[in-house]
């Protein structure tokens, strides 16, 4: 079996083992997610620095980083980010309500996503930023957008986007360039000029060139419409570090060196295509949040058959880590287990063979009662949790104020009692 290179520096591993030990003392239960603000702050600072070093914010337009709410929609993260003066991007009524509940003013909220006309009128907030997604949405929301003085933009479906399962087909998001020209005309007839132009390509964008090609496409559209946008919103998609594809390749392999620096260099070359540009907007979810959490599971039973050791754990893919279906993450024993290695599969407790968190050589000395730490669990793990046969995991949160339990493990009442 090919050995996998996740590349975590030793201080990162020590940081998480220390937090996990503390979180286990506080929560007393597994499965358990442990999240920390510190890696989020580090990734944000790294992006800020790469853009400042490239001249953004001085010779070039400034850069605004929106927190992608959907990626890690947990109250302590939103509170922490709001206290730092951060801006937040939401794509649903619940996410908008969550941002408002956690104290974000409308002027610091960007609303994206399809079919917003079905719910956004129920929250008539002054001063939102909104990227329209379709002609029907625009027609329904334009009067409200004018009345409430929204910052208005259009999401474009660029040639670089495709349906991941049928790659010849486009995604369902945004306006095609032809539709966008008609939308801009319609807005102008109402006396409105779009201020932002937006796209989000997909997650784990493989190279900076893909972004550059998408930007060139929207710049051509702006020229054709004689549109001078103030804000270029390139969505998210920057690959996270230390996560590998099923084939064992790092998602950021083709980014060469530091992906924030490569992104900044690409944008430095591209920004001139928008003469009136004031800001570039980023909405990176996975790059910012993936490294900010781990999942801790406990081994309940051990089997050995046909050359594989099987660890049955109290958490796994089906309930806690759906991304393990297409991503490989580092998995580490918390307890010091040494000696010979054996091909080992770590399973969750559900009745699906699918529920396999990891398959790789691990110390043969691992035994029931030990804990495993599944790394990079800070993005799209909480939103994709299931309650399959069991309740939700406990969650511990760590920031400058220390570590605390943010959510109890769901008990039977919580699991069954939601039914009328
Ligand atoms: C509009 C939009 N922005 C940002 C993101 C975050 O993407 P990622 O986590 O790949 O950076 C998404 C993810 O689906 C999205 O739909």
């Amino acid at each position: 079996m090919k050995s996998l290179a996740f590349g975590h520096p030793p201080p990162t591993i020590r940081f998480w083992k220390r937090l996990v030990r503390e979180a286990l003392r506080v929560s007393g239960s597994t499965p358990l997610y442990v999240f920390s603000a510190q890696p989020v702050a580090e990734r944000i600072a790294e992006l800020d620095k790469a853009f400042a070093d490239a001249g953004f914010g001085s010779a070039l337009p400034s850069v605004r980083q929106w927190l992608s709410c959907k990626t890690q929609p947990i109250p302590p993260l939103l509170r922490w980010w709001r206290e730092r003066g951060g801006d937040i991007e939401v794509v649903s009524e619940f996410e908008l309500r969550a941002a408002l509940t956690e104290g974000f003013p409308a002027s610091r909220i960007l609303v994206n996503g399809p079919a917003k006309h079905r719910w956004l009128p129920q929250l008539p907030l002054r001063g939102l930023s909104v990227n329209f997604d379709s002609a029907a949405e625009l027609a329904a929301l334009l009067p409200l957008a004018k009345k409430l003085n929204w910052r208005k933009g259009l999401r474009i479906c660029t040639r670089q986007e495709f349906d991941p399962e049928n790659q010849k087909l486009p995604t369902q998001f945004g306006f095609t360039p032809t539709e966008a020209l008609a939308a801009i005309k319609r807005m102008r007839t109402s006396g409105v000029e779009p201020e932002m132009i937006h796209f989000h390509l997909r997650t784990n964008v493989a190279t900076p060139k893909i972004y550059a090609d998408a930007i060139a496409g929207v710049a051509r559209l702006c020229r054709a419409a004689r549109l001078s946008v103030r804000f270029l919103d390139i969505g998210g998609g920057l690959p996270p570090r230390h996560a590998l594809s099923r084939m064992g390749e790092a998602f950021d392999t083709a980014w060469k060196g530091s992906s924030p620096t490569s992104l900044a260099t690409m944008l430095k070359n591209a920004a001139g295509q928008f003469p009136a540009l004031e800001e570039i907007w980023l909405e990176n979810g996975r790059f910012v949040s993936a490294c900010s959490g781990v999942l801790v599971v406990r081994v309940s039973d051990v089997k050995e058959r046909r050359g594989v050791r099987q660890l049955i754990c109290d958490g796994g893919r089906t309930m806690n880590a759906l991304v393990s279906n297409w991503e490989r993450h580092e998995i580490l024993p918390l307890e010091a287990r040494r000696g010979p290695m054996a091909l080992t599969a770590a399973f969750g407790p559900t009745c699906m063979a699918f529920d396999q968190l990891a398959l790789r050589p691990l110390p043969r000395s691992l035994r029931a009662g030990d804990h495993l730490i599944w790394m990079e669990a800070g993005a799209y793990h909480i939103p994709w949790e299931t309650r399959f046969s069991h309740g939700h995991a406990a969650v511990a949160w760590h920031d400058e104020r220390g570590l605390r339990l943010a959510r109890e493990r769901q008990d039977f009442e919580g699991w069954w009692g939601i039914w009328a």
Side-chain angles (χ1 to χ4, degrees):
M1 174 172 262
K2 185 179 164 186
S3 76
L4 301 169
F6 295 98
H8 293 95
T12 303
I13 306 279
R14 284 198 294 275
F15 170 82
W16 282 113
K17 285 196 171 173
R18 179 178 64 73
L19 280 193
V20 166
R21 282 194 194 95
E22 197 181 335
L24 283 169
R25 275 196 299 276
V26 172
S27 92
S29 75
T30 45
L32 165 70
Y33 291 104
V34 186
F35 299 128
S36 171
Q38 188 176 312
V40 177
E42 286 167 5
R43 291 303 175 281
I44 293 283
E46 202 183 331
L47 280 161
D48 279 344
K49 182 174 182 316
F51 280 93
D53 288 352
F56 286 92
S58 47
L60 293 166
S62 48
V63 171
R64 186 186 297 255
Q65 300 201 49
W66 299 85
L67 183 75
S68 168
C69 181
K70 75 184 83 67
T71 307
Q72 180 68 329
I74 64 170
L77 174 63
L78 266 60
R79 257 167 242 162
W80 174 85
W81 182 243
R82 197 252 305 141
E83 282 166 14
R84 291 168 66 101
D87 303 292
I88 188 160
E89 182 249 356
V90 301
V91 293
S92 70
E93 178 191 342
F94 280 13
E95 287 180 17
L96 178 53
R97 287 188 188 277
L100 295 170
T101 302
E102 299 309 330
F104 287 88
S107 59
R108 278 166 50 191
I109 302 176
L110 168 62
V111 190
N112 279 332
K116 297 183 279 297
H117 53 308
R118 295 286 169 229
W119 57 270
L120 197 48
Q122 288 139 39
L123 294 161
L125 299 160
R126 186 163 286 282
L128 283 175
S129 299
V130 178
N131 280 315
F132 297 117
D133 190 76
S134 76
E137 195 192 83
L138 178 66
L141 291 179
L142 197 52
L144 203 59
K146 281 177 72 176
K147 187 169 146 207
L148 298 175
N149 201 21
W150 291 350
R151 232 188 234 159
K152 298 164 278 297
L154 297 177
R155 176 166 175 173
I156 307 303
C157 186
T158 67
R159 300 292 298 184
Q160 283 64 40
E161 280 158 69
F162 48 80
D163 169 357
E165 281 160 42
N166 303 283
Q167 301 205 353
K168 290 206 172 80
L169 298 180
T171 67
Q172 69 272 43
F173 303 111
F175 295 82
T176 64
T178 312
E179 290 167 346
L181 288 173
I184 294 166
K185 211 164 153 189
R186 174 166 195 143
M187 289 171 86
R188 285 176 173 156
T189 310
S190 307
V192 169
E193 193 68 2
E195 292 174 273
M196 343 28 125
I197 203 89
H198 164 53
F199 60 80
H200 168 72
L201 298 177
R202 64 183 146 277
T203 205
N204 294 332
V205 176
T207 66
K209 180 166 185 311
I210 300 172
Y211 280 106
D213 291 346
I215 292 172
V218 296
R220 268 195 306 280
L221 168 68
C222 290
R223 283 194 297 276
R226 298 186 187 287
L227 176 65
S228 298
V229 289
R230 297 172 60 203
F231 309 106
L232 170 65
D233 176 355
I234 64 164
L238 199 59
R241 306 222 170 92
H242 315 301
L244 310 183
S245 70
R246 281 195 77 93
M247 306 309 292
E249 291 289 329
F251 288 110
D252 60 355
T253 306
W255 278 83
K256 301 202 176 69
S258 145
S259 50
T261 304
S262 307
L263 188 71
T265 307
M266 179 279 296
L267 278 161
K268 185 176 179 169
N269 297 328
Q273 298 174 80
F274 304 87
L277 203 61
E278 291 170 29
E279 286 181 13
I280 291 177
W281 290 1
L282 308 178
E283 305 166 355
N284 287 300
R286 207 177 283 271
F287 179 81
V288 168
S289 298
C291 55
S292 73
V294 299
L295 167 70
V296 189
V297 298
R298 190 158 188 252
V299 181
S300 310
D301 201 354
V302 182
K303 299 180 180 179
E304 185 140 12
R305 51 184 66 176
R306 279 194 260 154
V308 63
R309 271 193 110 221
Q310 298 174 323
L311 310 179
I312 314 290
C313 307
D314 55 7
R317 170 186 290 171
T318 308
M319 285 154 53
N320 317 105
L322 221 51
V323 302
S324 65
N325 195 19
W326 57 90
E327 289 188 7
R328 288 168 165 221
H329 294 194
E330 179 65 291
I331 190 162
L332 301 164
L334 175 64
E335 288 77 15
R337 295 283 174 249
R338 301 203 171 76
M341 306 289 269
L343 180 65
T344 307
F347 293 100
T350 72
C351 62
M352 301 170 80
F354 165 85
D355 197 359
Q356 189 188 83
L357 191 58
L359 173 66
R360 76 192 55 155
L362 286 172
R364 172 174 285 286
S365 52
L366 267 167
R367 53 181 181 250
D370 283 356
H371 297 88
L372 295 173
I373 306 175
W374 161 261
M375 303 288 283
E376 271 61 55
Y380 306 107
H381 283 63
I382 289 285
W384 292 342
E385 274 179 300
T386 71
R387 307 176 342 120
F388 194 83
S389 307
H390 303 262
H392 285 156
V395 175
W397 170 259
H398 165 260
D399 61 19
E400 296 80 357
R401 295 176 189 136
L403 183 137
R404 63 185 171 79
L405 196 61
R407 190 178 79 180
E408 301 269 0
R409 186 176 177 195
Q410 192 172 35
D411 62 8
F412 172 72
E413 264 313 303
W415 188 74
W416 198 245
I418 56 170
W419 296 97

